[in-house]
Amino acid sequence: MALSLVCQRTASIRYLGCLRSRPLHLHLASRIVQRRTFLDIFRKKKTEDIKEPPEPIPLLSEDDLFHPFSKSPFPEVRAKGQTISSMAPCPVCASGSSHAHEHNHGKPEVKNVSFECPDCGWPTHCSEEHWKADKEHEKYCSRLREANEDEHDLRSGRRMPEFELPGPQGYEETISFANWDVFWYTRGFNSMDSERSRRHASKLLTYPMTIGSVLHQHSSLMLNNQRLTPEGSRSMAAIRSTLHTEPGAPETHEASVGKPQVRIFILGARGESSLPPHVWEQLGFLFPAANFHLFFIGPQVALPRETKTPLRPSTQNSAPNASEPENPASNTTAEKTPEGDPTSSKEIPDTESTQIEEKKPLYTPNVYTPQTPAAIPALKWTRSSLTRYGVPSYTTPYSYQMSLSGLQVDNYADVHPLFEETLDPYSDVFFFFAPGFGFPSPTYKDEAGQPVLQISSPTEWGPVLPMLLASKCPIFVTGFSPADVERDVRSLATAPGVAGEFEWVVTPGPNPFGSEKWEVADFDPRIMVKTNWGIWAIRGKSRDIQERSFFSSLFSNN
């Protein structure tokens, strides 16, 4: 008995010693007895108890992003290399500097590229001999290597914080549009820790941020830096009065009550029409007191996939299956499937989608006339607008502030009568992203058999620009290089119905929110451009009405 009391006393002394040496919060935590009752199994776990998913394991590490195209671990990159090898000519053969291969008529044979540069990984020449002989390749080899690593980084499977976009802007937090760095900081983006992250983020956001940066009242295109003209200042003041509140009033959604919806027409839309809606939502976050409706109009606009069942808000909660339709935007001929039928659209056999995926090419070349982007997934509220616009089209009211519509039509002139009577410089604006005004038309020629410029072609932009100038709405145009901007600007002087009928809104120059990623042409790796490098804007010429006095009318001939 005495021995047991001594043991208990010794244990108590040791326990008290542990209490003195341990922090109080650890001691209290050790005294808590965890119990689990029977009813706990029906309770939902608290959010703080739910563990975040583990970080994805990258397929490639940051120091293993460089791979020659033919040896890339990704089949899409290998397919791209094969496409380049089938289209791009060897620069040494094309220049005629090497006469190793000649026909009987004395003309040098031009071969396609097949040799991959060991420094950049792109197929650049027909042989190693021509690669060594080409001294010009060193000028752009570093850019090609940069583009090579970017392609592999996008497919590496790593977590990409640069694609994690912020939500609505905080109250009384001003956004700066000086450049990408200041914008990302003031907008609350994740830190861009590398140049590669900058290139990825700028490529994703260049379209919505180009629009937002020129329309916002804090735009970096101002009268002070001579980018905004006096006529343009009046034009921008009109639309900014709709986008923003009066000075001193808070920029909130309640302030948008009673204001007209701002319509942004993107003509000749291609890849920008396939951007996810949450990317375009970033444009709305810049203007809390405005409501937007974006129209993507052109022959290469991406349309939603057609589903087996009509898109109804009460039943359609997920993306549709990947069946290829004859008319992607129309759901009027869709088959209605009973909800209890086991062969409904939610249980379509995988063999059909597998066959379709096999038919889809791994890589589509970016040739002069790009193909229509792949069908985009239909969201919960996506509706066909065929009966409203008369062309394959859709409308998605994505949020209370942002609606998206896509119209797949050969020429904007075909649908202009639908908007002509309602166009207003206070609420409507037009955007052309690299339209190619100054390029020769591939389909139309003049009486002498020579191709005319696209800005004058009746099958392309010829009838469009005079219609837009008559509306007096601002027209913004971007270009992918200094030469492209100059080519489009020069074409204005020869276009019928355009020359002498416009005023400058924004003078030609660099776009602070152009993409920083190099885009390499598949038909010639030496040609590299940056999306939305430059920007300029015009509007229809305004003619002031002058009242004639009584005496001047007496002596006039009229």
Side-chain angles (χ1 to χ4, degrees):
M1 183 66 178
L3 181 60
S4 61
L5 293 175
V6 172
C7 294
Q8 291 179 7
R9 181 179 178 84
T10 304
S12 300
I13 294 174
R14 291 177 179 175
Y15 178 70
L16 292 175
C18 293
L19 288 181
R20 298 188 184 98
S21 61
R22 297 177 63 186
L24 179 61
H25 67 280
L26 294 179
H27 166 63
L28 296 177
S30 64
R31 298 276 300 187
I32 297 175
V33 180
Q34 296 187 5
R35 297 183 178 88
R36 182 177 182 182
T37 62
F38 174 74
L39 297 178
D40 284 344
I41 62 176
F42 299 104
R43 294 182 180 177
K44 294 183 179 180
K45 294 183 178 181
K46 297 181 180 179
T47 55
E48 57 268 15
D49 296 337
I50 300 177
K51 297 182 179 180
E52 295 183 359
E55 290 285 338
I57 301 177
L59 301 176
L60 298 175
S61 59
E62 294 185 4
D63 57 352
D64 189 31
L65 296 177
F66 174 73
H67 295 272
F69 277 20
S70 61
K71 300 179 181 178
S72 172
F74 306 107
E76 297 86 358
V77 180
R78 295 196 299 268
K80 181 175 183 176
Q82 295 173 1
T83 302
I84 297 174
S85 299
S86 64
M87 298 175 60
C90 175
V92 177
C93 296
S95 63
S97 59
S98 176
H99 301 280
H101 305 284
E102 294 185 358
H103 294 293
N104 296 331
H105 301 286
K107 296 182 179 180
E109 179 184 3
V110 179
K111 295 184 177 180
N112 289 342
V113 296
S114 58
F115 176 79
E116 294 179 337
C117 172
D119 298 326
C120 65
W122 289 70
T124 56
H125 297 80
C126 65
S127 63
E128 183 178 1
E129 178 184 359
H130 282 191
W131 171 72
K132 293 180 179 180
D134 188 6
K135 303 302 181 183
E136 296 292 325
H137 178 69
E138 298 178 357
K139 297 180 180 180
Y140 53 88
C141 183
S142 59
R143 295 179 181 177
L144 290 177
R145 184 184 179 95
E146 180 182 288
N148 183 325
E149 294 179 352
D150 288 347
E151 291 291 336
H152 287 90
D153 182 60
L154 288 173
R155 299 170 173 83
S156 64
R158 69 171 177 88
R159 174 178 171 266
M160 293 193 169
E162 58 266 35
F163 290 161
E164 298 174 3
L165 308 181
Q169 187 73 1
Y171 182 67
E172 292 186 350
E173 293 182 1
T174 304
I175 305 174
S176 174
F177 293 92
N179 50 53
W180 278 118
D181 290 325
V182 181
F183 169 77
W184 284 327
Y185 177 76
T186 56
R187 182 65 184 89
F189 278 77
N190 292 326
S191 177
M192 304 297 171
D193 297 329
S194 65
E195 292 296 324
R196 183 171 293 111
S197 297
R198 290 173 51 87
R199 293 192 293 269
H200 292 334
S202 64
K203 174 64 182 300
L204 177 70
L205 298 169
T206 179
Y207 292 109
M209 292 306 106
T210 294
I211 297 176
S213 65
V214 298
L215 298 182
H216 203 276
Q217 61 183 0
H218 297 149
S219 173
S220 60
L221 308 180
M222 302 176 294
L223 288 169
N224 296 339
N225 56 16
Q226 299 181 352
R227 292 298 305 275
L228 188 67
T229 64
E231 296 80 8
S233 178
R234 293 193 294 267
S235 182
M236 298 308 298
I239 192 169
R240 285 170 181 170
S241 65
T242 307
L243 292 170
H244 299 282
T245 58
E246 297 179 358
E251 294 268 353
T252 59
H253 178 62
E254 289 75 13
S256 64
V257 177
K259 286 187 176 182
Q261 194 177 47
V262 177
R263 298 185 299 181
I264 300 176
F265 297 88
I266 303 176
L267 306 188
R270 297 183 290 268
E272 56 268 31
S273 64
S274 61
L275 281 177
H278 73 273
V279 177
W280 284 109
E281 190 182 20
Q282 293 294 312
L283 173 62
F285 291 153
L286 305 179
F287 305 91
N291 296 324
F292 291 92
H293 194 162
L294 271 62
F295 289 88
F296 306 102
I297 304 176
Q300 298 164 346
V301 171
L303 298 177
R305 303 185 186 98
E306 186 181 17
T307 57
K308 293 292 183 180
T309 56
L311 295 176
R312 297 189 299 269
S314 58
T315 59
Q316 187 69 20
N317 296 323
S318 59
N321 55 64
S323 58
E324 283 288 337
E326 295 180 0
N327 187 358
S330 174
N331 56 13
T332 57
T333 59
E335 300 177 1
K336 295 184 179 180
T337 308
E339 296 181 359
D341 190 354
T343 61
S344 62
S345 60
K346 296 183 180 180
E347 298 183 4
I348 292 179
D350 295 335
T351 55
E352 182 180 355
S353 60
T354 304
Q355 293 175 358
I356 295 173
E357 291 179 357
E358 292 177 355
K359 295 179 182 179
K360 182 180 178 180
L362 292 175
Y363 178 74
T364 303
N366 54 353
V367 292
Y368 177 76
T369 304
Q371 298 182 4
T372 302
I376 58 178
L379 300 181
K380 179 179 180 180
W381 302 102
T382 300
R383 294 292 184 274
S384 172
S385 301
L386 178 63
T387 57
R388 180 175 183 179
Y389 301 114
V391 295
S393 54
Y394 75 94
T395 298
T396 301
Y398 183 71
S399 66
Y400 68 88
Q401 192 184 17
M402 181 71 62
S403 297
L404 308 173
S405 293
L407 285 70
Q408 196 175 82
V409 59
D410 292 337
N411 198 301
Y412 168 76
D414 299 335
V415 297
H416 179 72
L418 302 175
F419 309 102
E420 183 177 10
E421 299 297 331
T422 59
L423 291 177
D424 187 358
Y426 282 80
S427 59
D428 298 322
V429 63
F430 293 88
F431 276 85
F432 293 82
F433 291 112
F437 289 156
F439 280 99
S441 172
T443 59
Y444 187 80
K445 298 182 180 180
D446 58 11
E447 298 177 355
Q450 299 295 327
V452 299
L453 299 182
Q454 294 189 27
I455 195 174
S456 305
S457 173
T459 60
E460 282 146 323
W461 302 121
V464 174
L465 280 182
M467 296 177 179
L468 306 186
L469 293 176
S471 68
K472 300 298 187 291
C473 297
I475 305 169
F476 290 87
V477 185
T478 68
F480 51 73
S481 67
D484 184 51
V485 172
E486 181 181 2
R487 181 170 46 241
D488 289 348
V489 170
R490 288 181 179 273
S491 67
L492 299 176
T494 60
V498 178
E501 298 295 330
F502 68 89
E503 296 174 338
W504 287 103
V505 175
V506 175
T507 57
N511 175 20
F513 290 89
S515 173
E516 297 184 355
K517 180 181 178 182
W518 288 106
E519 305 293 338
V520 184
D522 292 338
F523 55 86
D524 192 344
R526 295 174 298 175
I527 300 177
M528 286 170 278
V529 298
K530 290 184 176 181
T531 305
N532 299 333
W533 176 89
I535 191 170
W536 50 276
I538 59 176
R539 71 169 186 180
K541 178 176 288 188
S542 59
R543 292 175 171 83
D544 298 332
I545 300 177
Q546 297 181 358
E547 184 179 359
R548 300 173 61 181
S549 65
F550 174 75
F551 295 100
S552 62
S553 62
L554 292 177
F555 296 99
S556 63
N557 296 329
N558 297 331

